[in-house]
Amino acid sequence: MRVSLEQAVASLRQGDVAVLPTETVYGLAGDATNPYAIARIFEVKRRPADNPLICHFPSIHAIFPYVKNIPEQTSLLMEALCPGPISFMLELPEASPLFFATCGSRQVIVRIPDHPVFLMALEALQVPLAAPSANTSGRLSPTHADMVEADLGAAGIAVVDGGACRVGLESTIVDARKKGLIRILRPGAVGKQELQELLPGVVVQDGPADATVPGSRYRHYAPATPVYCISKNDLDKLETGSLLILVDEQLQDLPGNTSAEHWRSLHLFSLGRLADPEDLARNFYRRLSDMDRLQKDAAFIVFPDFGKSSLEKALSDRLRRIVTLKD
Ligand code: TXA
Ligand code: MG
């Protein structure tokens, strides 16, 4: 159900939820201090009850009253990068109205989104908004209002249409509380190099995910169609009509052992051009949801060789998460 920003703000004020656009993905927002709103978010998303929610604020100034402190390093990064596609782990005081949003954890993840609609809602409400991506738990994050409706539509949720999300992948999450160290907990558009340039001399870790890292405990970002990785040299073994996801560059680099006839028999589906990572990121979830609509039993992918920029690393991370590992 499409609504105006004004209607969404009225719903949110009453403790209901509403879907708002951000520059990364659409968020299913609710008053972060209201246990009923938080319960509703978990219910609508069918999200596991111990998976905490990011809390959104309109400014650094607005975060202060809710957290124990903002350590100097975090503060410097916030000054430079907010509003923007990055979230920060901070500590809550002993008593906090945000414990429902954090599922009882003393750690909270905060974000100042760079989207006028979301910022206007925050300014109007004067409370932080908890907002996970506006998808059923385990499904693709929505980057367009119609993707939200296709997924959550039956739930009669209010959606403010803000067009396509500018970035298209979820925010980078960092823990910069410890002096001299920044841990990237979830890769996103803001990456190691940018952080390093802002704080020279500080170690930036973007190492492998462990169970404490957001998004690593639950299967995320998955399409309904299982996607299997396949080696380039095994493409000739795909059955006629098989769905093959690729990037445009792979079409120019076809393996020699696959006949033109076999190629023509496959259902090819492009995610875009490796040479244009911004476009790849912006349309990543949308194209995967289009792929889902083909309703095939399976899809195959030759994992593309992404570059090393922050966005390319984030794309590689998200793509790895959608690939179904064979037992
Ligand atoms: O770009 C984004 O960050 C979007 C937009 C809507 O702001 N939000 C988003 O939220 O991606 P969500 O819930 O889909 O992903 C947040 C991740 C989850 O994996 C969650 O487990 C983790 O962050 N997380 C949130 N709060 C946490 C906390 N207090 N401690 C540990 N992990 C946390
Ligand atoms: Mg999510």
Side-chain angles (χ1 to χ4, degrees), residues 92-223:
L92 293 175
E94 249 163 69
S96 166
L98 299 182
F99 279 143
F100 294 103
T102 67
C103 305
S105 170
R106 281 286 296 271
Q107 326 299 321
V108 65
I109 294 180
V110 304
R111 165 160 140 75
I112 305 174
D114 186 15
H115 197 293
V117 169
F118 208 113
L119 289 173
M120 276 191 267
L122 285 166
E123 293 288 1
L125 289 160
Q126 296 284 308
V127 287
L129 288 171
S133 50
N135 52 282
T136 305
S137 201
R139 288 274 169 261
L140 299 167
S141 298
T143 50
H144 298 73
D146 63 309
M147 284 176 75
V148 178
E149 281 164 346
D151 182 353
L152 302 180
I157 301 299
V159 181
V160 180
D161 188 352
C165 298
R166 177 170 60 78
V167 178
L169 298 181
E170 302 84 349
S171 62
T172 304
I173 302 180
V174 298
D175 181 355
R177 292 174 297 169
K178 200 167 160 194
K179 208 167 170 46
L181 178 70
I182 301 172
R183 286 179 67 212
I184 299 182
L185 303 179
R186 176 173 75 180
V190 179
K192 185 171 180 168
Q193 197 181 339
E194 198 171 340
L195 297 168
Q196 205 109 61
E197 276 164 19
L198 286 167
L199 295 178
V202 169
V203 175
V204 183
Q205 264 178 15
D206 62 352
D210 58 51
T212 64
V213 167
S216 62
R217 238 165 3 120
Y218 295 102
R219 190 151 184 270
H220 258 203
Y221 321 123

